[in-house]
Amino acid sequence: MNLLKKIAHIIIVILLTLITQVGGLLWILVFGLFHFRKQKASKLIRYSTFFFIYLIISIFLVPPLAKLNNRIPLPISKSGNLIPHNYMTPLLNRHYVKATLKMDLIDISNVINAENNRIKISYLDANFPFIDGFPLLPHISHSDGKKIDIAFYYTRNKIAGNLKPSNSGYGKFVQPKPKETNYTEICKSKGYWQYDYTKFATLGSRNDLEFDLKNT
């Protein structure tokens, strides 16, 4: 393996670890196995093998192991009242919380839906499955199983629902009113220039929705 390939693998391992927590380790195991067995498999086979093993491990092995750390996955079905805004969150293992937080969220989502059956709670990033103190970037505080981002509510043609202006759930901001504090500007003025950079990570957006102050 030449130097450039080694550097590429190191970068991929770091990125997968930062994004999914477990992906970096699995990358090392899968590609290390191919390397030491000296199998001349195509890139397609190697990448497909990695993604297959990643999915199997994430679905069947990570949840019971995370439970030992008192973290459990949030629901991923769209049929309940607590739902992921998009499936990338659970796919990247970013939907783990303490059991008490999960129960509270489900209870609250059921109350909200009982009051208005058009709306549910859409969650965004929560926490990784393992290791207290391991942050879920870019959220430094999401490191103890007790943090979660909840999507705002929006209306379309004045009708409440679960549509969001951003496909990722991030990057489309609700501007503060004149008498409200603009924390984005405050943080950027203190040198945190990256504070609003999620505006580049919407993964597509729409402009036909209005902020639903009442339900939010």
Side-chain angles (χ1 to χ4, degrees):
M1 186 181 297
N2 61 42
L3 180 60
L4 289 179
K5 284 187 177 181
K6 289 181 180 180
I7 293 174
H9 278 288
I10 291 172
I11 293 174
I12 291 172
V13 168
I14 293 173
L15 289 176
L16 286 174
T17 302
L18 293 176
I19 295 172
T20 72
Q21 192 178 50
V22 301
L25 177 60
L26 294 179
W27 185 274
I28 293 173
L29 293 175
V30 170
F31 282 82
L33 182 62
F34 277 114
H35 177 72
F36 287 111
R37 294 186 65 178
K38 301 185 184 303
Q39 291 180 321
K40 295 182 178 181
S42 67
K43 289 184 178 180
L44 177 60
I45 291 177
R46 293 179 182 225
Y47 295 151
S48 298
T49 300
F50 166 75
F51 286 119
F52 176 75
I53 292 178
Y54 175 84
L55 287 175
I56 295 298
I57 294 295
S58 295
I59 293 172
F60 296 107
L61 185 59
V62 170
L65 291 178
K67 194 173 183 180
L68 299 176
N69 190 42
N70 190 25
R71 295 190 188 185
I72 55 179
L74 292 170
I76 62 174
S77 171
K78 294 283 189 175
S79 62
N81 295 324
L82 177 64
I83 62 174
H85 172 57
N86 61 63
Y87 287 114
M88 288 299 295
T89 302
L91 179 63
L92 299 177
N93 289 309
R94 301 168 75 92
H95 66 311
Y96 282 82
V97 296
K98 300 289 187 184
T100 51
L101 178 53
K102 178 179 180 178
M103 289 187 294
D104 286 343
L105 288 168
I106 290 176
D107 289 343
I108 295 169
S109 68
N110 289 337
V111 170
I112 289 175
N113 185 258
E115 295 176 353
N116 184 342
N117 61 14
R118 288 182 176 275
I119 61 176
K120 304 180 179 187
I121 287 184
S122 299
Y123 68 83
L124 307 173
D125 282 343
N127 308 262
F128 282 135
F130 307 114
I131 309 175
D132 285 349
F134 192 109
L136 183 142
L137 298 179
H139 320 284
I140 302 300
S141 66
H142 290 221
S143 61
D144 56 5
K146 301 176 182 179
K147 309 297 191 304
I148 188 168
D149 288 350
I150 301 295
F152 290 165
Y153 290 112
Y154 294 82
T155 61
R156 185 184 185 192
N157 298 325
K158 306 299 182 182
I159 299 175
N162 299 296
L163 295 175
K164 312 300 177 186
S166 163
N167 288 334
S168 70
Y170 295 99
K172 293 288 285 187
F173 308 111
V174 176
Q175 299 301 319
K177 295 180 179 180
K179 293 185 179 181
E180 293 179 335
T181 302
N182 191 327
Y183 284 103
T184 298
E185 292 303 321
I186 292 175
C187 288
K188 292 178 71 174
S189 69
K190 291 181 177 179
Y192 298 100
W193 51 268
Q194 79 284 4
Y195 193 80
D196 64 347
Y197 263 39
T198 52
K199 63 188 177 185
F200 300 118
T202 61
L203 302 180
S205 60
R206 55 191 303 166
N207 298 313
D208 61 336
L209 304 177
E210 294 184 1
F211 176 57
D212 185 347
L213 176 63
K214 176 178 179 296
N215 285 309
T216 297

